Amino acid sequence: MITVKNVTKVYQSGDIKVDALKNIDLSINDGEIVVLLGPSGSGKSTLLNILSGLDSIDQGEIVINDQEISSLNQVERTKFRRNNLGFIFQQYNLLPSLTVFENIEIGAQLSKNPYEIKEIMNLVGIEAHINKYPYQLSGGEQQRVSIARAIVKKPNILFCDEPTGALDEETSKEVLSLIQRLNKDLKTTIVLITHNPSIAEIADKVITLNSGEIVNIKNQIKK
Amino acid sequence: MITVKNVTKVYQSGDIKVDALKNIDLSINDGEIVVLLGPSGSGKSTLLNILSGLDSIDQGEIVINDQEISSLNQVERTKFRRNNLGFIFQQYNLLPSLTVFENIEIGAQLSKNPYEIKEIMNLVGIEAHINKYPYQLSGGEQQRVSIARAIVKKPNILFCDEPTGALDEETSKEVLSLIQRLNKDLKTTIVLITHNPSIAEIADKVITLNSGEIVNIKNQIKK
Ligand SMILES: Nc1ncnc2c1ncn2[C@@H]1O[C@H](COP(=O)(O)OP(=O)(O)OP(=O)(O)O)[C@@H](O)[C@H]1O
Ligand SMILES: Nc1ncnc2c1ncn2[C@@H]1O[C@H](COP(=O)(O)OP(=O)(O)OP(=O)(O)O)[C@@H](O)[C@H]1O
Ligand SMILES: [Mg+2]
Ligand SMILES: [Mg+2]
């Protein structure tokens, strides 16, 4: 269960001051698929980053599985994240000096019971690139390595920041059905950002952001 | 006019050998909008990179505006590209130590008659971020800075690698109509990669790739 109470996040740096999130209240139940929609710059990635403890908040409280992560320091938040959460980044964040296999292995090593690395690579169609370095991959191939790395550790909660942004329709469908299978088979909670409203069909709950605020929460029957 | 004759591109590095493009023949007329479609890994970015001289080829010939760019060395290709071509990269490639304004200014300085920087920023909706650094921007905001930087110099040919991948539907439409306006008003030749087939509607010609080969060329009436 994720609970967010009256959370505010301000980016401040020199003359730059951005109210990225204002008075956010929301809750996400175990095993739910939640989709975050909203225009570019509306605060989706920021919300994902503070939900997963990647970034800190200025006001309010965030509780995940009874752990108040907003009161942990950065080292404790990192430990919590490594043990419980999977993250597919909007810009992939692959380690450039490690091969595809090694990048995914890093994810697997954080788990007591990970998937087989080769099996996961097969599921996202990147087995042919096993020994390549990130710079030797296409945009969509890098994205799929990022996906494999997040999924292989069978996280309790999987955060996905535009996981199919660089993929063609075919490959997008395969990735989404893989995410749905994780949710169905392992009861993984999914929090997914997309700017593609058709992807929202797989969600139990669709949260729409605009200018740092939640403007709509829609409960629906997921497909 | 861009002419590609029997072009082959192989990536070779240690044990890695990838036939990224095989026997490519195509031509692009001045003022045309050409869209490249194809699955992830099919060779679209590679084709764009060799068309614009960003990368070299192993076999064949590429001629742009009567200049055989495939026979130029890297320094000469860079000079040709700076003077004639605009490029929107799949991963934006912004300079991290320059502000939004300075990143776009770099594009403007390469032209004798650039657009007003503030006007272009306004057109893609990023004027509020003028003094920020790339790391202080959302994914879609970074993409729009990359677009502004390419367009501001009024290039003869504009290469776009998934220019709307990180953008919501609204902002995507604005970017695409901006690209169409460049084509209509300045007769800019547009070569655009997308994995979104609906974007292909704006094209005079749609070229489909699969596994490094052209599998279809469709001429159509552009919208
Ligand atoms: N430097 C490199 N070394 C080896 N292989 C490479 C290199 N760069 C690209 N490739 C491979 O060449 C193929 C084509 O890559 P390219 O980036 O052109 O694909 P793409 O069609 O743009 O894909 P996407 O839609 O995922 O961006 C891919 O299989 C990729 O793994
Ligand atoms: N480090 C930072 N400093 C200042 N402003 C920031 C910083 N990071 C993000 N922002 C701003 O906060 C706002 C929200 O950013 P965020 O990345 O959450 O948007 P988003 O909804 O994910 O957008 P996109 O769909 O383009 O990825 C944006 O206006 C952005 O410019
Ligand atoms: Mg984002
Ligand atoms: Mg590509």
Side-chain angles (χ1 to χ4, degrees), chain A residues 13 16 18 38-41 90-92 131-132 135-136 138-142 144 162 164-169 171 195 197, chain B residues 13 16 18 38-41 90-92 131-132 135-136 138-142 144 162 164-169 171 195 197:
Chain A
S13 163
I16 307 280
V18 178
S40 173
Q90 191 168 5
Q91 264 128 27
Y92 322 148
N131 292 316
K132 283 185 172 179
Y135 80 90
Q136 294 172 316
S138 78
E141 289 160 352
Q142 291 180 26
R144 284 179 278 160
E162 313 232 16
T164 60
L167 303 176
D168 51 281
E169 199 171 337
T171 324
H195 53 257
Chain B
S13 164
I16 306 281
V18 178
S40 173
Q90 191 168 5
Q91 263 128 29
Y92 323 147
N131 293 317
K132 283 184 171 179
Y135 80 89
Q136 294 173 315
S138 78
E141 289 161 351
Q142 291 181 25
R144 284 178 278 160
E162 314 231 16
T164 60
L167 304 176
D168 51 280
E169 198 169 338
T171 323
H195 54 255

Side-chain angles (χ1 to χ4, degrees), chain A:
Chain A
M1 177 102 188
I2 304 175
T3 316
V4 179
K5 287 211 183 93
N6 199 21
V7 156
T8 292
K9 167 80 183 166
V10 179
Y11 288 114
Q12 183 101 46
S13 163
D15 296 335
I16 307 280
K17 178 175 182 295
V18 178
D19 297 320
L21 294 173
K22 310 163 198 160
N23 307 110
I24 302 288
D25 286 302
L26 65 89
S27 60
I28 295 172
N29 300 314
D30 291 341
E32 248 181 356
I33 297 181
V34 174
V35 163
L36 299 181
L37 290 181
S40 173
S42 55
K44 306 180 296 297
S45 295
T46 303
L47 180 54
L48 215 70
N49 292 350
I50 61 115
L51 277 178
S52 59
L54 270 170
D55 206 349
S56 59
I57 55 179
D58 299 290
Q59 229 180 71
E61 180 186 86
I62 300 177
V63 180
I64 299 183
N65 300 339
D66 302 320
Q67 170 79 59
E68 198 200 327
I69 62 160
S70 37
S71 65
L72 300 178
N73 64 39
Q74 199 167 339
V75 172
E76 293 165 325
R77 271 185 286 138
T78 300
K79 185 155 179 281
F80 178 84
R81 199 168 55 251
R82 277 218 244 109
N83 294 338
N84 294 290
L85 314 178
F87 213 109
I88 300 168
F89 294 90
Q90 191 168 5
Q91 264 128 27
Y92 322 148
N93 296 27
L94 300 178
L95 296 172
S97 52
L98 297 185
T99 63
V100 166
F101 185 89
E102 292 164 343
N103 263 284
I104 300 169
E105 194 176 36
I106 290 226
Q109 285 171 345
L110 298 172
S111 168
K112 297 194 180 67
N113 178 26
Y115 281 113
E116 283 297 320
I117 296 178
K118 295 208 172 167
E119 181 191 359
I120 282 291
M121 284 179 52
N122 229 300
L123 283 173
V124 292
I126 53 168
E127 64 281 12
H129 308 292
I130 183 168
N131 292 316
K132 283 185 172 179
Y133 291 90
Y135 80 90
Q136 294 172 316
L137 300 173
S138 78
E141 289 160 352
Q142 291 180 26
Q143 186 159 47
R144 284 179 278 160
V145 177
S146 174
I147 292 163
R149 175 182 61 175
I151 287 181
V152 73
K153 67 194 231 192
K154 294 183 188 164
N156 296 329
I157 307 172
L158 178 67
F159 294 93
C160 321
D161 199 338
E162 313 232 16
T164 60
L167 303 176
D168 51 281
E169 199 171 337
E170 188 76 15
T171 324
S172 291
K173 286 205 177 94
E174 288 165 22
V175 164
L176 285 174
S177 72
L178 177 55
I179 290 173
Q180 283 175 291
R181 241 173 55 197
L182 259 187
N183 174 256
K184 189 160 178 294
D185 299 349
L186 302 183
K187 308 281 174 283
T188 309
T189 308
I190 312 283
V191 188
L192 188 152
I193 292 172
T194 178
H195 53 257
N196 180 347
S198 65
I199 288 177
E201 294 179 7
I202 69 169
D204 295 293
K205 193 146 69 193
V206 180
I207 298 174
T208 306
L209 287 180
N210 206 334
S211 303
E213 298 181 297
I214 292 180
V215 296
N216 192 34
I217 296 184
K218 181 170 107 177
N219 292 302
Q220 56 185 31
I221 313 287
K222 75 182 171 211
K223 292 213 166 119

Side-chain angles (χ1 to χ4, degrees), chain B residues 29-40:
Chain B
N29 300 314
D30 290 341
E32 249 182 355
I33 297 181
V34 174
V35 164
L36 298 181
L37 289 182
S40 173

